[in-house]
Amino acid sequence: MIIKKAELETVCGVTSKLPRHELLEFAFSGKSNVGKSSLINALMNRKSLARTSSQPGKTQTINFYNINDQFYFVDLPGYGYAKVSLEAKAKWGKMIERYLRQSVVLKLVFLLVDIRHEPSENDKMMYNWIVYQGYRPVVIATKLDKVKRSQVGKLVKGIREGLGMEKDDVLIPFSAETKQGREQIWELIEGQMGEESG
């Protein structure tokens, strides 16, 4: 996919009305600091369209990126960050839930988990929640460049088991550094686009 246009079009806070799009949406979810912004930037071939931060809990809004006027990337707030008040967490949770329930053009939900760690309780909760809303999340195991190649198989198996993934569910190991996994993610997105226009 050649990205001619990628811009942040809409930012929704807790009380904002969600936009109604005709174009398809692809959502990205994951706990704070798992590398969501880095993944979105890597997919769009941009250095800093999605703002990355070493401070977790930076994305507190739902951000809609218009890609080529063909579809949207939707960056959901990171979850599981300890320093955020329970009240704020509950609000974000409601915001994400509302989005998953209300969007009629959402095609895929990508759930990012850190390949180096077993899925956390928050990861499991988010996974089950996405499934409950009727989606089969595509799991992206980030920070692939931080582990030895010989460990990848074992770590991937641990994530699949930890989340209770089905045999046919997709898990893609990804590195924002080397861009490994990027093509596979684009293939999934383009496959969904093809289904719509086909």
Side-chain angles (χ1 to χ4, degrees):
M1 164 102 30
I2 296 160
I3 308 289
K4 294 196 175 78
K5 170 184 170 178
E7 59 185 41
L8 179 57
E9 187 175 282
T10 314
V11 175
C12 285
V14 174
T15 54
S16 315
K17 206 167 170 314
L18 290 166
R20 290 260 173 227
H21 290 139
E22 302 284 305
L23 302 173
L24 298 183
E25 292 171 351
F26 297 90
F28 296 85
S29 162
K31 69 169 179 253
S32 300
N33 244 5
V34 74
K36 244 177 332 99
S37 302
S38 301
L39 169 70
I40 291 171
N41 287 330
L43 287 173
M44 297 190 295
N45 268 338
R46 299 290 193 278
K47 277 269 184 292
S48 58
L49 187 63
R51 283 195 296 276
T52 56
S53 166
S54 55
Q55 250 184 317
K58 207 66 187 146
T59 308
Q60 300 180 12
T61 49
I62 300 180
N63 297 336
F64 292 84
Y65 295 92
N66 180 328
I67 314 293
N68 289 353
D69 291 325
Q70 289 178 308
F71 57 92
Y72 288 92
F73 279 167
V74 184
D75 185 8
L76 299 172
Y79 54 80
Y81 182 48
K83 284 196 182 150
V84 174
S85 72
L86 283 173
E87 189 188 352
K89 280 183 192 170
K91 281 183 180 159
W92 293 357
K94 288 238 171 351
M95 188 159 71
I96 296 171
E97 185 175 20
R98 192 179 59 164
Y99 167 69
L100 289 176
R101 269 215 312 265
Q102 287 184 9
S103 174
V104 289
V105 286
L106 176 58
K107 287 305 280 184
L108 274 182
V109 182
F110 293 100
L111 176 62
L112 281 65
V113 296
D114 188 327
I115 196 164
R116 298 169 299 178
H117 309 295
E118 295 269 307
S120 67
E121 285 309 308
N122 281 320
D123 291 330
K124 291 176 195 174
M125 209 162 72
M126 192 70 197
Y127 181 86
N128 292 331
W129 202 23
I130 296 167
V131 170
Y132 177 73
Q133 299 294 346
Y135 297 95
R136 295 293 332 160
V138 172
V139 175
I140 297 178
T142 60
K143 312 198 190 245
L144 178 61
D145 48 282
K146 306 265 195 283
V147 298
K148 292 197 180 90
R149 200 172 273 177
S150 58
Q151 295 176 302
V152 172
K154 191 177 104 194
L155 293 169
V156 161
K157 187 167 179 269
I159 291 170
R160 293 190 81 98
E161 285 171 2
L163 291 174
M165 293 175 72
E166 306 271 321
K167 202 165 74 213
D168 300 338
D169 288 343
V170 181
L171 184 151
I172 300 171
F174 172 79
S175 161
E177 294 293 314
T178 66
K179 308 291 186 280
Q180 189 179 334
R182 194 183 133 191
E183 292 309 311
Q184 279 170 284
I185 297 168
W186 270 123
E187 274 168 28
L188 285 177
I189 292 170
E190 287 170 349
Q192 294 288 338
M193 307 272 301
E195 270 174 40
E196 282 301 301
S197 55

